[in-house]
Structure formats: C-alpha cells, structure tokens
Amino acid sequence: MKQLIIRKTEEIENWRRNINSEINFIPTMGNLHNGHIKLISTAKNDNSNLNLVSIFINPLQFDNKLDLENYPKTIDNDIKISFSNGADAIFIPSNEDIYPPNNKNIKFLQAPIELSSALCGLNRIGHFDGVCTVVYRLLNLIKPKNLYLGEKDWQQLLILKNLISTEKLNVAVKSIPTQRDFDGIPLSSRNVNLSKNERKLISFFSSELLEAKRIFQQEKKISLRAIIKKLSAKKISIEYLEHLHPHTLQKARIEDNISLLAGAIRCGETRLIDHVFLMKRRPIIAIDGPAGSGKSTVTKLIAKKLKLLYLDTGAMYRALSWLLIEKNIDYKTEKKFQNILQNISIVFKSNKNLHQDVFINDYCVTKEIRSQEISSIVSKISSIKEVRKFLVKEQRKIGESGGLVAEGRDIGTTVFPNAELKIFLTASIDERAKRRKSDKNSKDSQEIDIHTLKELIKKRDFEDSNRVISPLIKANDAIEIITDGYSINEVVDKIIDIYNDKIPKETQNQ
Ligand code: PAF
C-alpha cells in the first residue's frame, strides 16, 4: 500500500471510501517521540487495519497563546517517523480544514465537569473542551475502528472515553502505558523546551512518584505531605499533587485497590505532569454463572492471555470430596470433620504442559477429581456450611496478592466482593441444552433428548439459585454477558476488552 499524506477533509472521505479495511487512528499534535512511536507500532501489531496518524496542533486546547506559539513543530521528521513505524497514511489538516469559518456543523463540546474540573482542568480552563471538540471532529471524519491513546495523559484518556460513550461513537479505545525517558521522566513533546537544570528537577519529581509507588506496595499507604516536603526542599513548584480514584477522579477511598497519584509541576515556562498507579494487590477478575455457560473454558483462556492465575474453585470442592472418599471419612460426623478441615492444604501448580495441577495434602488429584463418583457427591459436599467457610478462606488466601481470575458461583458476591471486574456469564436454556447435547465428553448428549436436557438445566438453575449457602446470584456490580450466538474467542475478547478498559495498562505488569 502506498504511503499517503492527506491534507483536506474531503480527501479523507475519499480515502475512507476507497480502502477495503477498518482504520486504527493515532491522533497527535506532532513532534513525535518514542511514546508516539509506541502508539503507532502497537496499532500496527494489533491487527491488519490501516493505520492513520493525524498531526494537528489544535489551537482550541491551548489556554495560553505563548504556549501555542512555542509548541515544537517538526513536521518533516514526524512524517518520516510515522511512516517508518507503521503508518499507512498521515492526515495533516490546516486550521481551516478542521474549523472552517462560519461552519455551523462544527460541534463545540464541553468536557464533563466531574472529570475536567480536577487535576489539569483546575488551571487549564477550556483545555479539555478543546480536546473533546477536536477529537470528536476527527473521529467523525475518520470513523476509525480503534483509537490509540497514551496513558500518560490519564485525565484526557478518561474524558475521551466518556465522550465516546456519551456521544455513542462506535470506536474502541486502546491505551498504552506511559513511556519514560532514560532519566525516568515521561516522554512528552514539551520536553525539548527544558533546560538541563529543569530536566533534573522533573526527573526528581518523577522518581519521587515512583518511590511513593514502591513504598505503597509495601506499606499500603501514602503520605502526600511527605512528598510535598521533599519536592519543596528542591524548590520545585507544585501545581497539584493528588491521590484519587483512577476513574472518578474523586478522592481515593480506603477501599480502593487501585488509586492514582497524579501531580503537575512548573519549571520555568514549562508545565509537566506525571502520575503513578498505586495498587494494594494485583487485579482480580471474578467470573460467575450457571452450569453450561462456558465459564471454565472462558476463564482458562483469559488466565492464559492476561497471564493471571486461574483459580478453579470447583476443583477445590472436588479435591476435598476426593480426600473424603479416599480416607473414608464420614463428613456427617461433624467433630472429626472439623479437625480434618484444619489439616488440609489445597494448592495449584503449573505442570510441564503449562496446564494446572491441583494438589490436596501433596496428592496430585487433577485427573481423579473428574470421576463420576466425585461428580455425584461434590454438590452435597459444597453445600456444607463448614466446607464453604473453609474453602472461601483458602480461596481468599490464594487471592491475597491478586493477579488471578476465579470462576464459580459465589466469587463476585462472597469470595472476592472487591474484585475489580465481575462477570456474570450466562446463556439461554436452549443454548445451554444445545451445547450439552453436542458435548462429545458428556454422556448426556447421547442418552438424553433435548427436551429433558432443558428441564434438567432449569432444575439445576433453580437449585443453584435457591440454596441457602452461597446461592448463585449476580453481584450488583457484575457485568452480564449472554453468550448465545458468540464463539468462545469472541466472549474471551469481550471480557479482555472490558478488563483493559477498567485496569490501566500500566498496572497490568506490576
Ligand atoms: O494528546 C494529544 O496529543 C492531543 O491532546 C490530541 C489527543 C492529539 C488532541 O489534540
């Protein structure tokens, strides 16, 4: 495909009509650096769409005329960088193209007050309105499938996601983590304006934020006052330093597992922002749902793709059932049973085929727990109050430092009520009966007619939802996904998209 430079809005429309592909869009204001390169190359490696980079210094988002005049302009180099890193086309419109005089069709937008009045919005009046207006205009012209943005401008990212949702634009936002320079400062087009001394101060500011993150990992608390004191001692002029909820930008609450520590400082004429995410533990995904919804397959694949631990709570109930049979223990003689629970250890370990083995008191029981004998008693065992209490405690122990995806029936409601992402996976009775009928590993498929299968599923749903101990209920904050008509991979991708939308990329490898 020829590398193309487009300058007029009409040409964009023609190009779009003539290409037989979806578009990845990377908006920029030029003076491209490694952060932009990462955006372009991520888009290129993500899919086979065409990659369009725009270069437009948007006057509406500058609250200071001098800042606009001084904004670095390096267009020839930007063109080279874009093409050599995967751009298929570059859009370089003029001011008149984006904002034609007297064009009543241009929609001037206002960023939502809740998000735009915090942090940078405090001192940059109208800045986010300008960003929303230009991005809305560009998205309407380009109609991309994906929009690539950096997490460095976290507040901008939140505001643009909000814009896309309120304006019902059909585009997915893909974010990339803040890219840092050799001295730890976030890459920014404005860095070229820094003197050596200013750069040193900013590097001190960034390293203080990274240090706060390190301390938080150990102590689970943060002192803004201590950071401010250190910065002030270096005569660094702080515009703001805030500890906030990463999505609402309201003050961080004690129960927030992930929070945002964000600051802006001024060095001479240059104002620089930086942030880190503070995490008490790595994220947890809870997947609940009825039998036959595809939970296990989906959960395993998500764990693999996101490099999370797969916590198969069902396997824990089965392992315990196995031990009871193996040791000939009558679980109805309660006193003895309590003692046994106290001496049980259940652990998961990856085997050499990269699958997970389950061990109970050092016995590997991965295969044994799938027997018909276990299937016939596991439901009974798992409805015993003490068993539930014991295994929920064990599951929470495994989840203490997070970094897992757990499936079951009470994960989002009982085991991990603070999970960052809760999914309630379900499918219609018809679909689940169809799936069971075509399941080669299930004896049911050969022996039971579809009508009876539907009745059995209805009965199981009723029992699961109405049992006294840990019934199957959708947590209030769970997202329901009805899997009818979707392939396993489509469901997995959908859940991963929701995860990426909720969990900053920057925290995903911490
Ligand atoms: O982040 C930027 O460079 C700009 O704010 C954007 C998104 C290109 C809009 O002008």
Side-chain angles (χ1 to χ4, degrees):
M1 163 115 200
K2 190 169 142 271
Q3 291 173 334
L4 190 72
I5 295 182
I6 304 171
R7 294 184 188 271
K8 295 274 159 217
T9 50
E10 310 80 70
E11 287 174 51
I12 274 282
E13 279 161 27
N14 281 338
W15 176 70
R16 207 165 33 75
R17 249 178 266 127
N18 288 325
I19 55 173
N20 205 1
S21 164
E22 300 280 7
I23 301 170
N24 293 329
F25 175 41
I26 305 104
T28 83
M29 297 210 296
N31 191 29
L32 304 189
H33 49 66
N34 281 341
H36 296 108
I37 291 178
K38 184 82 184 165
L39 284 169
I40 304 170
S41 56
T42 304
K44 183 178 163 62
N45 295 330
D46 259 6
N47 48 53
S48 53
N49 297 345
L50 288 183
N51 303 309
L52 175 76
V53 172
S54 71
I55 302 173
F56 176 65
I57 302 178
N58 172 35
L60 287 195
Q61 67 188 79
F62 286 80
D63 48 330
N64 175 327
K65 230 178 147 203
L66 202 66
D67 192 19
L68 175 59
E69 277 163 23
N70 288 341
Y71 199 84
K73 296 161 190 82
T74 52
I75 194 75
D76 293 339
N77 203 31
D78 294 343
I79 294 174
K80 265 194 225 139
I81 290 180
S82 302
F83 282 141
S84 60
N85 287 284
D88 297 291
I90 309 179
F91 182 37
I92 314 175
S94 69
N95 233 334
E96 288 67 36
D97 276 300
I98 295 297
Y99 304 119
N102 303 325
N103 187 332
K104 299 222 167 53
N105 294 328
I106 304 293
K107 193 161 158 182
F108 290 93
L109 287 147
Q110 279 189 336
I113 293 289
E114 320 81 77
L115 293 176
S116 63
S117 56
L119 304 178
C120 290
L122 279 175
N123 289 311
R124 300 187 73 188
I125 308 299
H127 165 72
F128 289 115
D129 300 344
V131 172
C132 286
T133 300
V134 77
V135 172
Y136 180 77
R137 170 97 173 105
L138 290 166
L139 290 176
N140 272 303
L141 280 169
I142 297 161
K143 303 201 177 3
K145 172 111 175 137
N146 299 310
L147 170 67
Y148 289 80
L149 295 167
E151 289 184 353
K152 179 197 156 259
D153 297 302
W154 180 253
Q155 187 176 13
Q156 167 174 286
L157 181 66
L158 290 181
I159 290 174
L160 290 177
K161 279 184 181 174
N162 177 282
L163 166 83
I164 285 164
S165 127
T166 50
E167 295 293 331
K168 300 193 174 49
L169 301 176
N170 191 13
V171 54
V173 176
K174 311 270 177 182
S175 67
I176 64 145
T178 302
Q179 304 295 303
R180 294 182 182 272
D181 217 334
F182 66 96
D183 52 0
I185 78 169
L187 292 171
S188 160
S189 300
R190 287 185 165 89
N191 290 356
V192 291
N193 293 337
L194 294 171
S195 71
K196 229 176 167 177
N197 191 41
E198 285 169 346
R199 190 152 184 138
K200 237 179 166 171
L201 292 177
I202 287 162
S203 163
F204 181 80
F205 167 57
S206 292
S207 67
E208 279 310 309
L209 294 189
L210 292 167
E211 175 66 3
K213 173 170 137 182
R214 199 188 57 74
I215 295 175
F216 191 86
Q217 258 156 8
Q218 287 166 1
E219 298 177 8
K220 316 285 179 235
K221 58 180 191 221
I222 177 176
S223 163
L224 289 183
R225 212 185 288 166
I227 306 172
I228 291 173
K229 208 169 149 195
K230 282 202 204 159
L231 296 176
S232 307
K234 291 264 174 192
K235 306 228 167 347
I236 291 177
S237 151
I238 307 165
E239 216 170 87
Y240 63 77
L241 183 71
E242 304 255 23
H243 183 211
L244 304 174
H245 185 282
H247 290 109
T248 62
L249 300 186
Q250 302 293 313
K251 290 257 171 285
R253 300 157 310 171
I254 207 92
E255 66 268 30
D256 293 336
N257 176 45
I258 302 181
S259 53
L260 172 74
L261 173 63
I265 61 167
R266 204 164 256 292
C267 273
E269 281 309 307
T270 315
R271 186 180 160 282
L272 281 147
I273 57 171
D274 198 359
H275 70 262
V276 285
F277 290 99
L278 308 177
M279 263 201 307
K280 291 193 183 143
R281 53 154 177 73
R282 294 181 61 215
I284 291 180
I285 308 179
I287 301 188
D288 290 303
S293 57
K295 268 186 322 214
S296 304
T297 321
V298 164
T299 309
K300 266 184 226 157
L301 284 169
I302 288 176
K304 199 165 162 202
K305 286 201 173 180
L306 293 177
K307 298 193 175 67
L308 298 172
L309 177 87
Y310 164 49
L311 179 59
D312 179 358
T313 58
M316 296 175 84
Y317 288 100
R318 284 175 173 268
L320 182 64
S321 308
W322 176 86
L323 193 80
L324 297 179
I325 294 177
E326 185 69 16
K327 302 266 172 213
N328 232 337
I329 296 163
D330 180 3
Y331 51 87
K332 286 170 206 128
T333 47
E334 228 171 76
K335 204 150 189 252
K336 209 167 143 210
F337 185 54
Q338 292 274 23
N339 290 342
I340 288 158
L341 283 181
Q342 272 169 22
N343 293 310
I344 279 175
S345 104
I346 301 179
V347 289
F348 291 98
K349 286 186 199 160
S350 282
N351 59 27
K352 58 178 187 306
N353 303 324
L354 294 178
H355 291 297
Q356 212 163 257
D357 279 329
V358 54
F359 290 78
I360 184 159
N361 290 359
D362 292 333
Y363 298 106
C364 177
V365 292
T366 318
K367 283 210 182 84
E368 291 76 353
I369 60 171
R370 302 292 159 195
S371 73
Q372 194 48 43
E373 192 181 12
I374 303 288
S375 298
S376 64
I377 68 156
V378 64
S379 165
K380 243 193 212 103
I381 303 289
S382 61
S383 61
I384 301 171
K385 204 161 127 203
E386 285 73 22
V387 167
R388 226 62 234 174
K389 216 166 129 191
F390 168 73
L391 284 184
V392 166
K393 204 171 89 212
E394 290 299 297
Q395 288 152 16
R396 286 190 183 146
K397 244 194 257 163
I398 297 175
E400 237 158 40
S401 51
L404 61 82
V405 47
E407 60 139 323
R409 290 190 170 72
D410 61 346
I411 309 294
T413 47
T414 310
V415 186
F416 300 123
N418 290 331
E420 280 62 38
L421 176 58
K422 296 181 191 175
I423 300 289
F424 192 79
L425 210 60
T426 185
S428 67
I429 304 239
D430 282 3
E431 176 79 18
R432 282 151 63 201
K434 243 195 287 165
R435 284 181 197 165
R436 256 173 82 174
K437 190 93 186 130
S438 60
D439 181 357
K440 303 260 175 327
N441 297 323
S442 160
K443 267 185 133 195
D444 296 342
S445 53
Q446 279 97 46
E447 291 166 7
I448 310 175
D449 68 86
I450 196 95
H451 178 74
T452 317
L453 266 180
K454 282 188 206 169
E455 289 309 308
L456 284 172
I457 292 173
K458 264 189 219 159
K459 186 167 168 276
R460 171 87 192 261
D461 280 358
F462 182 83
E463 281 165 7
D464 280 348
S465 314
N466 290 286
R467 65 168 178 236
V468 182
I469 313 268
S470 290
L472 168 70
I473 320 172
K474 179 180 154 219
N476 285 338
D477 48 352
I479 298 169
E480 180 165 329
I481 299 183
I482 301 169
T483 60
D484 288 38
Y486 288 104
S487 70
I488 296 283
N489 282 335
E490 281 169 334
V491 175
V492 168
D493 287 348
K494 198 177 166 101
I495 296 175
I496 291 181
D497 280 348
I498 305 174
Y499 177 83
N500 283 333
D501 189 47
K502 283 200 154 204
I503 312 288
K505 275 273 166 59
E506 271 164 52
T507 64
Q508 292 187 22
N509 294 323
Q510 274 180 28

